[in-house]
Amino acid sequence: MARPTIKEALLQVSRVWKQLAWDGVMSIETVDEYIEVTERLIDFARAHQITRLDDVTPALAEAFVNAPGHDRHRGIVPTPAGSTRRQRRSAVTSLFVHARALGLTKAAPMVDSAPIARSPRRPGADLQPHEIARLQFHSERGMPATRHAALLALLLAGFWSAEVGAASSADLDLTAGAVRTKGSTRTLARTCPLDEWGVYVLGLRATHLGRRGAAPYRLVASATSAPNVVQSSVGAGFGDIARRSGLSTRARKVEPRDITRYVARKILNETGQLSEVARHLGLSSLDVAASLADLQWHTGGDAA
């Protein structure tokens, strides 16, 4: 058996990952993340004078999973978050699983690695209409040159973070008061209604961006950024709005998902139909829709 380098193994395994994405087994965002993590593993291993895949020991793999990282401002993060460590562990595990299947190695450095515990999910912020109004007010600062109002308008229309980042001027139908999304790996394509405020701020944003060049153009994020970078950028942009409004504090974190929960509750209150919540948010699962709308729901068909 040849002794390939980690880089040579990545080239072969990445083809497998991309085929899995093509087959719908894995998302392309996960493929991009796994490739990025493995490239960092290459650098980390090289710093320890290791380049061959077979020479990656359990101790080295564990040290890589727990290694310090950087935040989005390139500051040092001494202890990586659990989500970062899980992502690294998952990528390294997948690399070796597929490398073994391809006959590139017999090594399994993560086989005895202990699972990384998840923190309990935070309860939702349970946003109220007056708090939504505060978010809208503070998002308007600097518009339409800034993206914040457009970002919030898309979330309030029922878009998820990945969909917000992909939204372009071509998706807007301001005359009809609607915006289209192609969906994402977890949501369905659909058309979402815009309220009066959404039509107003998105119209201003589209007009502003239209002065820069030919349409279509992204409303919130750069078209040249990788999907995971775009989604992170959307989260950071919303975080700016939530902090400016005073709603997101050390004691209470407000996230894009809290807007989705607000939209879900609003639709359920207006229509009384859980199916409308699922349709509006592009969900194929009524269980997920019920969870977002804070509705007790039993898969056996009995609603509390």
Side-chain angles (χ1 to χ4, degrees):
M1 180 188 298
R3 280 171 43 85
T5 64
I6 307 170
K7 184 175 182 179
E8 290 168 342
L10 172 60
L11 290 174
Q12 295 193 49
V13 171
S14 64
R15 296 189 189 104
V16 177
W17 286 336
K18 289 174 181 177
Q19 184 61 50
L20 290 173
W22 179 262
D23 294 338
V25 177
M26 180 186 290
S27 74
I28 192 62
E29 290 84 4
T30 299
V31 173
D32 292 340
E33 288 172 357
Y34 280 9
I35 291 173
E36 182 179 348
V37 169
T38 305
E39 288 172 342
R40 291 177 180 176
L41 172 64
I42 292 170
D43 293 338
F44 185 85
R46 186 183 296 118
H48 290 78
Q49 289 76 52
I50 290 174
T51 59
R52 300 287 176 182
L53 190 67
D54 284 345
D55 295 335
V56 177
T57 63
L60 181 76
E62 200 69 32
F64 170 70
V65 168
N66 295 299
H70 296 87
D71 59 22
R72 64 190 182 93
H73 300 296
R74 302 306 298 167
I76 297 294
V77 179
T79 303
S83 59
T84 299
R85 293 165 59 224
R86 281 191 294 273
Q87 182 191 63
R88 293 174 182 173
R89 182 179 183 274
S90 178
V92 175
T93 298
S94 183
L95 173 72
F96 277 88
V97 165
H98 292 296
R100 289 195 300 274
L102 292 170
L104 302 177
T105 186
K106 291 183 179 179
M110 304 302 300
V111 70
D112 293 321
S113 175
I116 299 169
R118 293 180 179 272
S119 301
R121 182 178 286 277
R122 292 171 177 264
D126 193 22
L127 294 171
Q128 300 301 311
H130 71 277
E131 293 176 313
I132 295 296
R134 281 177 63 180
L135 289 169
Q136 290 173 320
F137 175 80
H138 287 278
S139 73
E140 292 180 4
R141 184 187 302 176
M143 75 170 192
T146 58
R147 62 179 179 155
H148 294 94
L151 188 159
L152 181 58
L154 291 169
L155 288 173
L156 287 169
F159 276 40
W160 296 77
S161 294
E163 298 172 331
V164 169
S168 80
S169 57
D171 299 319
L172 293 175
D173 185 348
L174 298 177
T175 302
V179 57
R180 295 177 295 275
T181 172
K182 296 180 180 66
S184 66
T185 54
R186 296 181 178 86
T187 55
L188 305 172
R190 63 201 182 281
T191 298
C192 297
L194 293 168
D195 60 15
E196 185 177 353
W197 183 80
V199 170
Y200 170 64
V201 299
L202 287 169
L204 287 178
R205 179 67 172 167
T207 300
H208 171 76
L209 294 174
R211 299 191 184 104
R212 298 183 177 181
Y217 31 77
R218 294 283 181 93
L219 294 167
V220 169
S222 170
T224 59
S225 297
N228 61 316
V229 174
V230 169
Q231 193 161 356
S232 176
S233 173
V234 170
F238 179 80
D240 290 341
I241 303 169
R243 285 189 294 274
R244 284 179 186 175
S245 67
L247 296 180
S248 191
T249 64
R250 290 185 179 180
R252 184 201 193 202
K253 187 174 183 180
V254 179
E255 303 172 307
R257 191 176 178 88
D258 293 311
I259 299 293
T260 306
R261 292 189 181 103
Y262 171 83
V263 172
R265 293 194 304 271
K266 184 171 182 287
I267 296 168
L268 185 63
N269 289 336
E270 290 175 352
T271 68
Q273 299 293 321
L274 192 56
S275 59
E276 280 299 300
V277 177
R279 184 188 65 79
H280 190 109
L281 297 177
L283 302 171
S284 57
S285 169
L286 291 180
D287 290 339
V288 175
S291 175
L292 289 168
D294 293 334
L295 177 69
Q296 289 185 333
W297 172 260
H298 301 281
T299 54
D302 299 325

